[in-house]
Amino acid sequence: MARDSSILPTQTLFVGSLASLLSLWGCGGGGGGSSGIAPRPLPTLAHIVVIVQENRSFDELFQGFPGADTVSSGPTSTGRTVPLAPIGLTPSFDPGHGHGDFLTEYNGGKMNGFDLDSFSPKTAKPPPYFAYAYVPRAEVQPYWDMASQYAIADRMFESNNGPSYPAHQYLIAAQSGLASDNPIIPQPVPNGVGWGCDDPTGTVVPLINGRDVFPCFDYETLGDVMDAKGVSWAYYAPPPFNKTGGYIWSAYDAIRHIRYGADWTRNILSPQTSILSDIQHGDLRQVTWVVPNGLNSDHSLFTNGTGPSWVAAVVNAIGKSQYWQNTAILLTWDDWGGWYDHVAPPQIDRMGLGFRVPLIVISPYARRGYVSHTQHEFGSILKRIEETFNLGSLNLRDARSDDLSDCFDFTQTAATFHTIAAPPYKPSSGLVHVPPDDE
């Protein structure tokens, strides 16, 4: 792979609207004329890295974060108010977070059905009101440090009101082909994970209209647009679980023309840990997605608690590299994981929005110590990418989303990177068994 030559520290900032341009320059209305001195070009982004972790709500992961909208208790379907209890990052059960679980917990906007949530495996014995929980800060301190130093959004909503499979599609395509749940695979399939075109015959994914189809689609993605525009990109994902299992969290496996085209070997890179060596060797693409393996995922039941160390390893690698000065890292979680959140998501169409998930914006030009209360969704991430690289729009959820502008200040002096403290990250295979009734 050739060394990336796109680092242009004096590029002119691309802005989607005149109003945004004026705001960034600090210009106001009125007269006064021109001073005759050309303004200094603002810095811009040459790289955007999207890190996608798994299954955490804002209230659950950042309960009590200063300046953010969080609560310490929640209502139940019977009218009780129960406190959020501390449950570590590695519980022995997985709260339900399929489309049906969303409807139960959302309860027509009352946000009081979390006591009725399901869980897996069926042999687990979670505590009463298990969904009403928060992760103790000490277990996720690296995330809190990132959020404290840079910008965090407390109105970031999952685009879809369901689990990981459609959520990851929205993160690459601003749609999911109407898929509303995770694929259902024929049993028994050892370590089987329904995720896309590689799934066994008989796998189906439920659509929001009640139909079931094989989970292999052919709609346009942001990767296709970048190919056409000559923008380099990569999607770092784990290898398949085994020959009969799918590529969990590898969203492009569900796009037929990419799975069976040149992009699959050129831009879908495994294992996900290879991003660390690519950064070191100067091979970071202009746009990058990074997804974890099971152990590093933060996903209840099969994470081992190393998610914060994994994310810190990626952030630190970029922060200490040549790329820091013109990179934005957008860290989010793909869905709420069944955990309690108190903010009713706006319902803008039949697919969503879903519950809040955290979003942390890490960049030398992120607003420092900032809590964004602006409404964002996964389309906002795509729109930021589209505007930065002048890609145009997919004209789906990205078109109706904001572009995360409030989280940046390109007029400020670039922040010096400080290492995110975390336990040492140790790569592992991550080939853990995914419960067959998960999600």
Side-chain angles (χ1 to χ4, degrees):
M1 189 187 304
R3 180 178 295 272
D4 190 344
S5 61
S6 64
I7 304 177
L8 302 174
T10 59
Q11 287 176 316
T12 301
L13 176 66
F14 176 84
V15 183
S17 67
L18 179 60
S20 297
L21 182 61
L22 293 174
S23 173
L24 286 169
W25 283 111
C27 298
S34 170
S35 67
I37 301 175
R40 176 180 61 85
L42 291 177
T44 188
L45 302 173
H47 301 89
I48 294 179
V49 177
V50 183
I51 301 176
V52 187
Q53 291 293 101
E54 291 292 312
N55 297 39
R56 299 288 167 172
S57 75
F58 195 94
D59 273 332
E60 193 253 354
L61 201 57
F62 285 96
Q63 201 274 326
F65 189 88
D69 181 10
T70 67
V71 296
S72 58
S73 63
T76 70
S77 61
T78 61
R80 291 192 60 183
T81 297
V82 298
L84 303 191
I87 293 181
L89 199 58
T90 58
S92 59
F93 63 94
D94 186 23
H97 44 282
H99 176 63
D101 298 301
F102 169 87
L103 296 176
T104 296
E105 295 180 334
Y106 178 69
N107 195 17
K110 297 178 183 178
M111 301 295 287
N112 64 356
F114 289 82
D115 58 313
L116 304 176
D117 195 27
S118 62
F119 62 87
S120 63
K122 301 307 181 186
T123 55
K125 296 180 180 180
Y129 304 110
F130 59 84
Y132 297 81
Y134 68 93
V135 177
R137 176 176 173 176
E139 296 191 29
V140 289
Q141 187 63 48
Y143 294 150
W144 281 61
D145 290 345
M146 295 173 203
S148 299
Q149 293 181 41
Y150 302 102
I152 185 171
D154 69 0
R155 285 297 186 277
M156 174 65 163
F157 295 95
E158 179 189 358
S159 286
N160 59 295
N161 47 31
S164 293
Y165 177 86
H168 281 256
Q169 292 304 301
Y170 273 92
L171 283 161
I172 65 167
Q175 65 157 308
S176 67
L178 299 182
S180 58
D181 261 302
N182 284 353
I184 303 167
I185 59 174
Q187 297 294 334
V189 178
N191 286 327
V193 180
W195 209 252
C197 301
D198 282 284
D199 288 327
T201 301
T203 302
V204 296
V205 62
L207 306 185
I208 198 72
N209 59 15
R211 296 177 56 218
D212 292 340
V213 299
F214 187 69
C216 188
F217 296 90
D218 240 343
Y219 43 72
E220 185 180 37
T221 70
L222 197 60
D224 297 306
V225 177
M226 290 189 287
D227 284 343
K229 293 283 189 174
V231 174
S232 62
W233 64 278
Y235 193 103
Y236 291 87
F241 273 56
N242 55 37
K243 293 181 179 179
T244 58
Y247 292 83
I248 186 171
W249 304 321
S250 188
Y252 281 102
D253 186 41
I255 308 301
R256 184 183 304 276
H257 63 271
I258 289 183
R259 175 61 186 91
Y260 300 115
D263 277 326
W264 189 254
T265 54
R266 182 174 58 202
N267 297 326
I268 314 303
L269 306 180
S270 294
Q272 75 287 352
T273 52
S274 61
I275 187 175
L276 300 175
S277 58
D278 283 351
I279 293 168
Q280 182 180 7
H281 296 148
D283 288 330
L284 185 66
R285 312 282 178 95
Q286 289 169 277
V287 176
T288 302
W289 290 268
V290 185
V291 298
N293 63 20
L295 294 176
N296 305 146
S297 66
D298 296 334
H299 192 302
S300 300
L301 189 58
F302 60 93
T303 183
N304 65 0
T306 56
S309 290
W310 156 244
V311 172
V314 177
V315 171
N316 287 335
I318 294 170
K320 297 174 183 178
S321 75
Q322 61 183 300
Y323 298 112
W324 172 247
Q325 290 297 321
N326 51 30
T327 295
I329 303 168
L330 307 178
L331 167 62
T332 195
W333 282 254
D334 70 337
D335 68 54
W336 83 110
W339 301 106
Y340 179 75
D341 195 82
H342 78 283
V343 177
Q347 297 303 285
I348 62 177
D349 61 30
R350 58 182 172 170
M351 292 297 296
L353 300 173
F355 294 127
R356 291 191 307 169
V357 293
L359 169 71
I360 304 175
V361 178
I362 304 163
S363 173
Y365 300 104
R367 291 181 64 179
R368 298 166 202 169
Y370 175 66
V371 179
S372 170
H373 306 303
T374 300
Q375 180 175 311
H376 311 299
E377 63 161 297
F378 293 161
S380 304
I381 292 175
L382 272 63
K383 193 164 189 174
R384 168 52 57 181
I385 294 171
E386 292 164 349
E387 291 187 350
T388 298
F389 299 103
N390 197 17
L391 298 176
S393 177
L394 291 168
N395 294 312
L396 296 164
R397 280 292 191 77
D398 53 330
R400 65 194 304 177
S401 300
D402 82 306
D403 63 359
L404 305 179
S405 287
D406 71 304
C407 296
F408 291 92
D409 180 1
F410 289 94
T411 67
Q412 71 184 11
T413 302
T416 300
F417 181 76
H418 298 285
T419 299
I420 302 298
Y425 170 69
K426 299 178 181 179
S428 59
S429 67
L431 301 183
V432 296
H433 178 67
V434 178
D437 56 350
D438 178 63
E439 304 180 353

